[in-house]
Coordinates of all heavy atoms in Angstrom, one line a residue:
D87 N 7.2 -1.3 -0.1 CA 7.4 -2.7 -0.3 C 8.8 -3.2 0.3 O 8.8 -4.3 0.8 CB 7.5 -2.9 -1.9 CG 6.1 -2.9 -2.5 OD1 5.1 -3.1 -1.8 OD2 6.0 -2.7 -3.7
Y111 N -3.3 -7.5 0.1 CA -2.2 -7.1 -0.8 C -1.5 -8.4 -1.2 O -1.0 -9.2 -0.4 CB -1.3 -6.2 0.0 CG -0.2 -5.6 -0.9 CD1 -0.4 -5.3 -2.2 CD2 1.0 -5.3 -0.3 CE1 0.6 -4.6 -3.0 CE2 2.0 -4.6 -1.0 CZ 1.8 -4.3 -2.3 OH 2.8 -3.7 -3.1
V180 N 0.1 -2.8 10.5 CA -1.0 -2.2 9.8 C -0.4 -1.4 8.6 O 0.5 -0.5 8.8 CB -1.8 -1.2 10.6 CG1 -3.0 -0.7 9.9 CG2 -2.3 -1.9 11.9
N201 N 3.6 -3.7 20.5 CA 3.5 -4.7 19.4 C 2.9 -4.2 18.1 O 2.7 -4.9 17.2 CB 2.6 -5.9 19.9 CG 1.2 -5.4 20.3 OD1 1.0 -4.3 20.8 ND2 0.3 -6.3 20.1
L228 N 10.9 -2.5 17.9 CA 10.5 -3.0 16.5 C 11.3 -2.3 15.4 O 11.8 -2.9 14.5 CB 9.0 -2.7 16.3 CG 8.0 -3.3 17.3 CD1 6.6 -3.1 16.8 CD2 8.3 -4.8 17.4

Side-chain angles (χ1 to χ4, degrees):
D87 285 338
Y111 190 31
V180 186
N201 58 327
L228 299 189

